Amino acid sequence: MSQPGGSEELVLASDFGVLDRVDELAVRYGQLAGFDDGPLMEIAIAVVEAVTNAIVHGNKCDASKTVKMRIEWEPGLFGLTVHDEGEGFDLACVMDPTDPERCMETSGRGIYIMRQVMDTMDYEMGEGSGTTLRLTKALKPV
Amino acid sequence: MKVKTDMEGEVAIIRLSGNLTGGPESDEVRGAIRRLLDSGARKFIIDLKGVPWINSTGLGTLMAIYTSVQREEGVLKLAHVSDRIQSLFMITKLLTIFDTHPTTEEALGAF
């Protein structure tokens, strides 16, 4: 009998070394939710990007700050929440990295990538309370 | 991440193993390319056989390397690009920027 769903929460150091573990969890829970091949790879790409953004842009690689991550899954649905201790940003100011004038930039692609591969993306920012990102992806009917 | 450099004639082959995620390994790879440029190398292959995936920060490292090599009129080719890295190039519309080849031998033959 398949499991109805579940969740896992982790508190991660602001260190790129956590990304291998994050990738493994994304693949594991994506598989449990029923995703395979391409969509599973997209989930892993997005989860790694979400935590990378939290480390780099949220916590500014400050080792004293942590990233909280929660993965929720159920058959046909994968959800991720990532919280950092950063000051937030204006989502409207995020530029399109595929714009020919910006395509050679060495940064600024994380949010664009997550938007492309996930179904929903929501940011919640409050003064002094950090930034919370929520991503979801649903299995497409065949 | 491990960075190993070999010369095949006038082509520098930089073999990476481990994920390219923006940590100290990014500086290591960029430093290796910088030293090769300073020593006169202008033809480069980055062999990604041992790199299952990269993130946007690693992608930024590849872009920085590409720009450094271009600025000095060099040529950069990538070999053994995984499906996941290829997918990242496609999502970010960088497929046309990077010259990718299935193997190092094919990349060598393309100079």
Side-chain angles (χ1 to χ4, degrees):
Chain A
M1 191 176 142
S2 64
Q3 294 180 54
S7 65
E8 179 161 347
E9 281 186 34
L10 280 100
V11 178
L12 305 164
S14 292
D15 186 299
F16 292 111
V18 304
L19 294 175
D20 283 333
R21 169 97 174 118
V22 164
D23 179 68
E24 285 169 18
L25 289 173
V27 171
R28 183 197 303 169
Y29 291 114
Q31 280 173 332
L32 283 173
F35 292 88
D36 60 13
D37 300 337
L40 192 59
M41 186 169 67
E42 291 178 341
I43 285 173
I45 286 173
V47 173
V48 167
E49 282 310 318
V51 176
T52 298
N53 263 12
I55 292 171
V56 177
H57 302 293
N59 291 349
K60 313 283 186 205
C61 298
D62 181 342
S64 72
K65 294 181 176 175
T66 58
V67 175
K68 290 178 184 151
M69 174 177 122
R70 178 182 170 86
I71 291 176
E72 294 167 90
W73 67 273
E74 60 186 74
L77 186 66
F78 180 95
L80 173 76
T81 305
V82 171
H83 178 82
D84 64 51
E85 300 182 53
E87 294 170 3
F89 60 96
D90 185 351
L91 201 52
C93 292
V94 176
M95 304 295 187
D96 178 359
T98 64
D99 183 322
E101 286 187 7
R102 293 191 188 86
C103 71
M104 300 307 289
E105 296 287 329
T106 58
S107 64
R109 293 183 175 85
I111 289 175
Y112 176 85
I113 291 168
M114 290 186 281
R115 263 197 188 127
Q116 295 301 306
V117 298
M118 298 299 275
D119 294 335
T120 68
M121 185 181 84
D122 297 295
Y123 271 102
E124 192 179 303
M125 298 164 217
E127 203 170 316
S129 60
T131 299
T132 303
L133 165 66
R134 291 190 184 86
L135 297 170
T136 65
K137 189 175 184 72
L139 205 57
K140 302 287 181 291
V142 183
Chain B
M1 160 160 282
K2 287 181 186 161
V3 182
K4 186 174 177 292
T5 304
D6 296 305
M7 293 301 296
E8 185 80 34
E10 57 179 0
V11 181
I13 303 174
I14 301 99
R15 293 186 169 87
L16 308 184
S17 58
N19 295 317
L20 191 58
T21 58
E25 79 278 0
S26 288
D27 293 336
E28 198 181 336
V29 181
R30 289 175 70 168
I33 299 278
R34 183 71 260 163
R35 286 189 292 278
L36 286 160
L37 280 167
D38 290 345
S39 67
R42 290 295 180 270
K43 294 180 180 176
F44 299 89
I45 296 171
I46 296 182
D47 184 344
L48 296 167
K49 192 174 187 177
V51 184
W53 55 267
I54 63 175
N55 60 1
S56 60
T57 317
L59 190 57
T61 300
L62 290 181
M63 289 303 298
I65 290 169
Y66 175 86
T67 304
S68 300
V69 170
Q70 279 263 306
R71 196 178 294 135
E72 307 218 17
E73 297 177 354
V75 178
L76 171 69
K77 298 181 187 299
L78 304 180
H80 291 118
V81 179
S82 71
D83 287 348
R84 181 156 161 184
I85 297 174
Q86 196 81 17
S87 179
L88 208 56
F89 289 166
M90 196 158 61
I91 292 164
T92 53
K93 299 186 170 59
L94 292 173
L95 271 179
T96 55
I97 300 291
F98 292 111
D99 184 12
T100 64
H101 297 269
T103 65
T104 307
E105 291 69 30
E106 286 172 81
L108 267 170
F111 277 105

